[in-house]
Amino acid sequence: MRTIWNNLNKINMRIHTKNTLFLTLMVTLSGIAGALIWMMLGRHFCMGLLWCLCYIGYPAVFIGLIGGTLFLYKHEFV
């Protein structure tokens, strides 16, 4: 998370736009990571579209959205 934030912090834009872009990137990247995990493991153990959506959705919500929000709450905007 810190690497993504540091790269976004180098761009000259308003803090609100940085926060929105950060959360969007975190949700997207977490969902992609979940999809890759499903492609490697889930296709053999948990087959079906519903399982694929679970593998994508849970990391996107919990790691991406909630984790990203908590990161932004504890981050000092200087």
Side-chain angles (χ1 to χ4, degrees), residues 19 22 34 52 54 56 70:
N19 291 343
F22 175 75
C52 177
C54 288
I56 292 171
L70 291 174

Side-chain angles (χ1 to χ4, degrees), residues 7-75:
N7 288 333
L8 283 176
N9 210 16
K10 295 174 186 176
I11 301 172
N12 187 15
M13 64 176 88
R14 294 182 315 169
I15 194 71
H16 175 72
T17 308
K18 285 182 188 180
N19 291 343
T20 305
L21 187 59
F22 175 75
L23 286 177
T24 304
L25 281 173
M26 285 304 301
V27 168
T28 304
L29 292 175
S30 298
I32 290 172
L36 291 175
I37 291 172
W38 179 78
M39 287 176 150
M40 289 186 291
L41 302 175
R43 297 174 84 185
H44 304 290
F45 302 113
C46 305
M47 294 178 232
L49 182 63
L50 183 62
W51 279 104
C52 177
L53 293 175
C54 288
Y55 271 83
I56 292 171
Y58 280 110
V61 170
F62 290 114
I63 297 172
L65 186 63
I66 295 175
T69 303
L70 291 174
F71 176 81
L72 289 175
Y73 271 128
K74 74 174 196 163
H75 192 272

